[in-house]
Amino acid sequence: MRKKIIEMRGIVKSYYLGTPNELEILHGIDLDVYEGEFLSIVGASGSGKSTLMNILGALDRPTQGHFFLDQLPMENVKDEGLSKIRNEKIGFVFQTFNLIPRSSALNNVALPMLYGGKSRSVRTKRAKELLELVDMTARSHHRPNELSGGQKQRVAIARAMANDPAIILADEPTGALDTHTGRMVMDIFHRLHQEQGKTIILITHNTELALETERTIRLKDGSIVENKINEKIQLEGSYESA
Amino acid sequence: MNLLENIRLALEGLRANKMRALLTMLGIIIGIASVMAISTLGSAMTGSVSKTMDKIGGKNISVYLTPKNYDSQATLQPEDYITQDELNSFKETYADQIRAISLSSSLGSGKLNSGYVHKDVSVTGANPDYRLVNNINLVQGRFISDRDIQSSRNVIIIDTTLRNNLVGVNGDPTGMDITVETKNTNETYTIIGVYEKVVIDNPLFNMGDDTRIECFIPITTAKALNSQSTAIPGYENFTIMASANTDTTAFAQITKQYFIKNLGALSDYTIEAQSMEAMVSEATSMLSTLSLGISVIAGISLLVGGIGVMNIMLVSVTERTKEIGIRKALGARNSAIRSQFIIEAIIICLIGGIIGVGLGSVLGVLGSSLLKFPTTPPFTPMIIALCFSMGIGVFFGYYPANKAAKLDPIDALRYE
Ligand SMILES: Nc1ncnc2c1ncn2[C@@H]1O[C@H](COP(=O)(O)OP(=O)(O)O)[C@@H](O)[C@H]1O
Ligand SMILES: [Mg+2]
């Protein structure tokens, strides 16, 4: 049996807006994700996808429930420990890229390794390899504002891969891109999944893109309403990139 | 997280906002520059004071009769004067403390005539100790001896400029006779020595620039030639050179008490004894009051500068909230964020400090050469100033940096 990389039981997230008004966003989420899975999370805007992703990515803590990341019970981890987990086990890809504006593509990719205490030579070597992987070598010394949206997202994916994380969490990574560049970004995810066996959780609005993944979770008003294996993928074995 | 990386980041940030960085640094620059200018000037002055002290005699005590009340028509009575006998017994009583007692009596200005050379000179009667106390540097012949005094000989010591006029730079004028007209009478003197005038180029010790050539004759000869002083039984003033380990300020008091006893109770006059050290410390305390004032201004400027740095760091933290969120999402610990911003504040202050030290050193060197004590900027205050500016960075950078470190990663990421 494959290793469980994420196990969530009864995850609740509430915001307290003044004493009487408790706003519950996630209502008891149960979720298992296995190593090497390519999972998509879909749902209407405001359904709690990003909230769930922040918990999955150790950026936020649930109000209630149990969450094991790579078998580790997260409720016992202190803030400094969460930083370390984000650095080593998680690779984030955001809709708005979130690159550091004043740093070059190369330095952006190297940044997680800097926080991981890697030496300069190791950082530079690995960052160059990763930029090669996303076909951005020619732009490695450009700053984010000198890059197109698709190029920025490729740099961001390279950065997410920097410390060889257990999971890549991508929150609407194609949301700010046109169909063509969105396609290129999706192809990179497929490659990482197939060639490197990465566990990828993709949040998206786009049901067509969701169908390319192995399994789709549908969120509605903070609850999982559907958990569907994508037959087409199961039959064909794997998605053939164009 | 890597220190070098933080420094590189901070410098990148400053380069992106050059004007803002410079304006932020201004308070630090002004503060550090004034501190540095003061210490450069201060060290120049202390250096020149101690050098001048060596030249003019740091162990000297000047003793003189002075009216008790300046308004009254005080006149010196014959019994007020300090006699040679009184001086001798004083010298015996305090033999351990006294190295020499210099006596002098001016004969006023005169005209020297010798062949074709005509010069305006001033003639001073002196005793043998005068040479030691006043640091007369004899280059040829000898100074006045006890026998010259006893016999009131017509001998004279001239200075090197006069020697050059009379016999040339390489000539020897000793044994030569010259005629000097003082008080409308011509006297002929035999030259016995040549001295070199000590130039004191220190504005703190401006003793009235006497451009006239001063010549020395035995004090007894001078008194005999001066109809006013022949009748006078003693001296109005003299200078003591204390021995090396004597506290001159304390000994000045002892001297004063000793001679006040000898004055009649009804005398209009009293004795003052002032040590050169006391005079110098009076001059330097004035300087230190001045530098204290400027230091207060510098301190206020540094405080304002520090607050400016804190303000700009708070702005910077707000501007970069999103960046802080990204860094946290990538695994930056709170301590890494904190040190990034503290180092940025330190770099701002350190650059301000370096500019300030440079500017202050230039101002200090210019100022001290204007005041005629040329100097080089002192090293220790430079290092202290730089460390201090870094300290300001740590102190005023901590609060904004801590604010950045404590930001919630999700709130920071969502910040627009
Ligand atoms: N800090 C917060 N305080 C209060 N409500 C919040 C906060 N963050 C998110 N929400 C609410 O949680 C709900 C889910 O948001 P989100 O997870 O971003 O949705 P999605 O990513 O699916 O569009 C929204 O209704 C949003 O208004
Ligand atoms: Mg969202």
Side-chain angles (χ1 to χ4, degrees):
Chain A
M1 211 186 114
R2 281 201 288 180
K3 191 172 135 194
K4 240 188 224 176
I5 208 142
I6 278 165
E7 182 176 342
M8 275 185 162
R9 291 291 174 270
I11 292 293
V12 171
K13 180 70 190 179
S14 314
Y15 289 106
Y16 298 90
L17 310 164
T19 350
N21 319 330
E22 185 183 328
L23 186 64
E24 195 174 287
I25 306 295
L26 297 176
H27 320 284
I29 301 283
D30 297 326
L31 177 67
D32 291 325
V33 181
Y34 293 89
E35 192 172 36
E37 245 194 307
F38 193 170
L39 180 85
S40 54
I41 299 177
V42 295
S45 183
S47 58
K49 303 184 297 292
S50 297
T51 307
L52 180 61
M53 193 195 81
N54 290 338
I55 296 170
L56 284 168
L59 273 169
D60 203 0
R61 294 174 188 274
T63 316
Q64 269 176 53
H66 300 287
F67 170 32
F68 300 87
L69 196 149
D70 217 359
Q71 265 99 56
L72 186 75
M74 296 293 280
E75 53 258 53
N76 300 334
V77 182
K78 300 226 164 58
D79 281 358
E80 292 292 279
L82 290 183
S83 299
K84 196 170 152 65
I85 286 168
R86 289 198 293 268
N87 186 247
E88 291 172 359
K89 295 195 186 290
I90 313 284
F92 285 103
V93 180
F94 301 95
Q95 178 175 6
T96 52
F97 325 119
N98 283 352
L99 298 174
I100 306 278
R102 282 186 283 111
S103 295
S104 67
L106 190 78
N107 282 333
N108 263 289
V109 176
L111 196 56
M113 293 184 269
L114 179 71
Y115 290 125
K118 303 273 194 326
S119 76
R120 193 184 182 89
S121 57
V122 170
R123 297 197 306 256
T124 311
K125 184 168 175 282
R126 170 113 177 116
K128 280 181 177 162
E129 284 168 11
L130 287 165
L131 284 173
E132 175 82 58
L133 187 75
V134 296
D135 198 19
M136 284 293 293
T137 307
R139 302 301 189 111
S140 56
H141 293 292
H142 288 228
R143 293 189 179 186
N145 62 4
E146 297 159 354
L147 302 174
S148 73
Q151 289 171 331
K152 281 186 217 178
Q153 200 59 301
R154 274 141 69 191
V155 173
I157 294 170
R159 182 179 68 182
M161 289 290 291
N163 285 331
D164 196 18
I167 313 168
I168 288 185
L169 291 175
D171 191 352
E172 307 200 29
T174 60
L177 304 175
D178 58 54
T179 331
H180 177 68
T181 44
R183 179 75 260 147
M184 271 168 69
V185 165
M186 268 312 280
D187 289 347
I188 294 172
F189 283 123
H190 283 300
R191 251 172 52 214
L192 294 178
H193 175 235
Q194 284 161 21
E195 291 168 14
Q196 307 204 13
K198 278 280 157 245
T199 311
I200 300 173
I201 300 179
L202 172 77
I203 292 176
T204 181
H205 263 113
N206 188 325
T207 31
E208 274 177 44
L209 290 183
L211 281 173
E212 293 175 14
T213 64
E214 294 172 332
R215 184 158 62 109
T216 300
I217 300 280
R218 181 173 300 276
L219 270 185
K220 192 174 180 227
D221 298 334
S223 302
I224 293 177
V225 291
E226 190 180 70
N227 183 352
K228 189 185 74 177
I229 309 270
N230 291 322
E231 302 293 341
K232 179 185 162 212
I233 302 296
Q234 290 302 302
L235 289 173
E236 291 174 8
S238 68
Y239 174 83
E240 295 297 327
S241 57
Chain B
M1 150 128 177
N2 207 308
L3 178 70
L4 274 176
E5 212 58 41
N6 273 328
I7 292 174
R8 195 182 56 78
L9 265 174
L11 290 176
E12 256 174 30
L14 293 183
R15 220 170 311 152
N17 274 316
K18 284 195 200 79
M19 192 62 189
R20 187 165 100 178
L22 187 72
L23 289 175
T24 308
M25 288 170 192
L26 215 53
I28 307 282
I29 294 175
I30 293 171
I32 295 286
S34 29
V35 169
M36 198 59 213
I38 297 273
S39 19
T40 308
L41 268 178
S43 87
M45 286 183 187
T46 3
S48 83
V49 164
S50 60
K51 259 189 228 153
T52 311
M53 286 276 279
D54 291 344
K55 275 190 191 167
I56 61 175
K59 282 289 173 188
N60 289 4
I61 300 166
S62 135
V63 187
Y64 51 93
L65 284 160
T66 182
K68 280 177 184 164
N69 187 347
Y70 281 98
D71 304 335
S72 69
Q73 299 283 313
T75 43
L76 272 167
Q77 301 304 314
E79 63 270 21
D80 289 337
Y81 287 96
I82 297 154
T83 64
Q84 186 65 52
D85 288 345
E86 281 169 351
L87 273 177
N88 289 346
S89 62
F90 172 66
K91 201 172 174 180
E92 255 166 56
T93 318
Y94 296 104
D96 286 347
Q97 282 92 333
I98 300 169
R99 220 176 128 196
I101 293 182
S102 152
L103 293 165
S104 65
S105 164
S106 174
L107 199 56
S109 61
K111 276 191 167 43
L112 174 141
N113 302 299
S114 169
Y116 298 111
V117 181
H118 305 281
K119 282 270 172 192
D120 284 333
V121 294
S122 73
V123 180
T124 303
N127 71 339
D129 274 357
Y130 187 93
R131 179 187 170 191
L132 182 66
V133 175
N134 294 283
N135 209 4
I136 303 285
N137 181 21
L138 219 59
V139 293
Q140 278 173 325
R142 62 174 179 87
F143 199 70
I144 295 154
S145 71
D146 285 329
R147 294 190 53 196
D148 295 330
I149 299 282
Q150 278 155 22
S151 325
S152 308
R153 283 180 178 155
N154 274 16
V155 290
I156 195 162
I157 288 107
I158 61 170
D159 85 339
T160 45
T161 30
L162 202 50
R163 186 248 347 245
N164 298 347
N165 280 318
L166 289 171
V167 293
V169 178
N170 298 314
D172 182 359
T174 54
M176 205 174 136
D177 284 344
I178 52 172
T179 308
V180 181
E181 186 197 330
T182 45
K183 312 266 178 205
N184 297 320
T185 44
N186 276 317
E187 275 297 311
T188 302
Y189 300 92
T190 308
I191 297 171
I192 54 166
V194 179
Y195 77 96
E196 193 166 52
K197 193 170 177 177
V198 179
V199 186
I200 297 166
D201 50 355
N202 188 332
L204 288 178
F205 298 89
N206 201 336
M207 312 208 131
D209 244 351
D210 195 352
T211 47
R212 273 178 314 178
I213 296 161
E214 194 173 19
C215 299
F216 300 107
I217 61 173
I219 190 163
T220 43
T221 314
K223 285 204 161 213
L225 286 172
N226 189 346
S227 55
Q228 284 156 8
S229 59
T230 25
I232 291 168
Y235 304 97
E236 255 180 88
N237 57 63
F238 58 93
T239 306
I240 302 166
M241 183 188 226
S243 56
N245 47 9
T246 303
D247 175 354
T248 53
T249 313
F251 192 60
Q253 279 305 307
I254 294 170
T255 308
K256 182 177 170 174
Q257 296 312 320
Y258 184 94
F259 286 101
I260 274 182
K261 278 191 316 212
N262 290 355
L263 282 173
L266 294 173
S267 171
D268 291 336
Y269 275 72
T270 185
I271 289 280
E272 260 327 319
Q274 224 174 13
S275 71
M276 193 55 87
E277 274 174 352
M279 277 160 69
V280 167
S281 71
E282 215 169 272
T284 46
S285 83
M286 213 176 69
L287 279 178
S288 56
T289 314
L290 186 75
S291 50
L292 185 76
I294 300 179
S295 301
V296 167
I297 295 170
I300 292 170
S301 164
L302 285 175
L303 183 73
V304 172
I307 293 168
V309 169
M310 180 146 124
N311 182 43
I312 216 72
M313 289 308 296
L314 284 170
V315 170
S316 174
V317 168
T318 309
E319 276 178 353
R320 282 145 70 184
T321 301
K322 181 124 190 171
E323 177 187 324
I324 294 163
I326 298 168
R327 289 176 184 276
K328 288 196 163 190
L330 298 179
R333 287 156 195 251
N334 291 356
S335 56
I337 301 290
R338 187 163 33 233
S339 47
Q340 181 189 332
F341 282 93
I342 288 185
I343 286 169
E344 187 167 322
I346 291 177
I347 296 276
I348 292 176
C349 292
L350 189 60
I351 293 175
I354 291 170
I355 297 174
V357 163
L359 195 69
S361 301
V362 170
L363 286 178
V365 168
L366 278 181
S368 57
S369 54
L370 270 180
L371 294 172
K372 297 210 176 61
F373 337 102
T375 187
T376 49
F379 186 69
T380 324
M382 247 184 228
I383 299 302
I384 294 174
L386 290 183
C387 292
F388 194 74
S389 57
M390 283 169 74
I392 291 173
V394 175
F395 187 81
F396 289 99
Y398 185 83
Y399 173 72
N402 204 40
K403 202 180 150 189
K406 282 188 176 158
L407 281 175
D408 178 68
I410 296 173
D411 290 345
L413 269 174
R414 207 181 275 140
Y415 186 87
E416 289 305 330

